Amino acid sequence: RRILTVAAVLAALLVLFVLASLPPERYLSKLSSAIEKTDHDIQKARKNTATIAVLQRQVQSLESISSAIEAAKNQSRLVELFDVLTRLSPDHVVIDEFRLDDRKLFLSGHAENPEDWVIQLQRSKALENVRLTSVLAAEKAQQRFDVVLSVRWPSERVDNTDD
């Protein structure tokens, strides 16, 4: 009887050991699956981070290109403005100060007849609101002048002509 009792106890212990070992296997299986998913998600995040870095470099490059285009556009505008002023200015007009603030242009200098020159400037389609703000007598036939006007850039003009 004792042997049977010991055998029964051993059998019960063996069954308990087998049953006790099953749940950790399931837990370990779920844990292993979660680790694999986490590893996959980390790899995906690293790939996305690399893609984001590439896109950020592309955006910076495009911003640099855009800045260069804007600078070239502004230089082109100034060249056009100088061209218009040169074509409309007689040889006796000398501009000493040239200040451009967005569309507003301030000119100071001296000329023989600044009033006649301002009338020519007023006829230009590239310029508007041309005003002679001061005229002072200077040496010989020259007079000092101050002129204020607004520039109409080509994109703002209906007919896109310069004069």
Side-chain angles (χ1 to χ4, degrees):
R1 230 175 197 229
R2 218 178 145 130
I3 293 180
L4 280 176
T5 307
V6 170
V9 168
L10 285 174
L13 284 173
L14 184 62
V15 168
L16 282 175
F17 179 72
V18 169
L19 289 176
S21 68
L22 286 179
E25 271 183 26
R26 279 192 185 157
Y27 173 74
L28 289 176
S29 173
K30 287 183 180 180
L31 183 60
S32 178
S33 175
I35 289 172
E36 286 177 17
K37 183 181 182 320
T38 303
D39 284 344
H40 174 73
D41 290 345
I42 289 171
Q43 289 175 357
K44 188 176 178 182
R46 285 182 180 152
K47 184 179 177 185
N48 288 342
T49 300
T51 302
I52 289 170
V54 167
L55 291 173
Q56 285 174 332
R57 284 192 297 275
Q58 288 175 347
V59 165
Q60 287 173 344
S61 175
L62 291 173
E63 286 173 345
S64 287
I65 291 170
S66 175
S67 294
I69 290 171
E70 189 64 29
K73 179 179 163 185
N74 288 339
Q75 287 176 347
S76 169
R77 284 179 164 186
L78 282 177
V79 168
E80 180 205 347
L81 179 58
F82 286 131
D83 180 57
V84 168
L85 289 173
T86 302
R87 281 188 288 108
L88 295 174
S89 300
D91 290 340
H92 61 82
V93 173
V94 177
I95 297 173
D96 298 323
E97 183 181 346
F98 177 98
R99 188 173 37 127
L100 182 62
D101 183 14
D102 191 29
R103 292 183 61 225
K104 195 122 186 150
L105 178 62
F106 302 90
L107 300 171
S108 291
H110 55 276
E112 288 178 15
N113 295 313
E115 300 87 358
D116 294 339
W117 178 57
V118 166
I119 291 170
Q120 285 179 298
L121 295 177
Q122 288 172 338
R123 291 182 183 143
S124 172
K125 293 177 182 159
L127 310 172
E128 60 187 6
N129 302 322
V130 181
R131 294 184 323 271
L132 184 62
T133 57
S134 79
V135 177
L136 301 171
E139 295 179 22
K140 300 181 183 175
Q142 297 285 307
Q143 295 177 316
R144 300 248 356 119
F145 66 83
D146 290 319
V147 175
V148 178
L149 58 95
S150 297
V151 179
R152 292 181 64 210
W153 302 117
S155 60
E156 300 170 343
R157 293 184 222 142
V158 176
D159 60 4
N160 260 354
T161 58
D162 291 337
D163 45 1

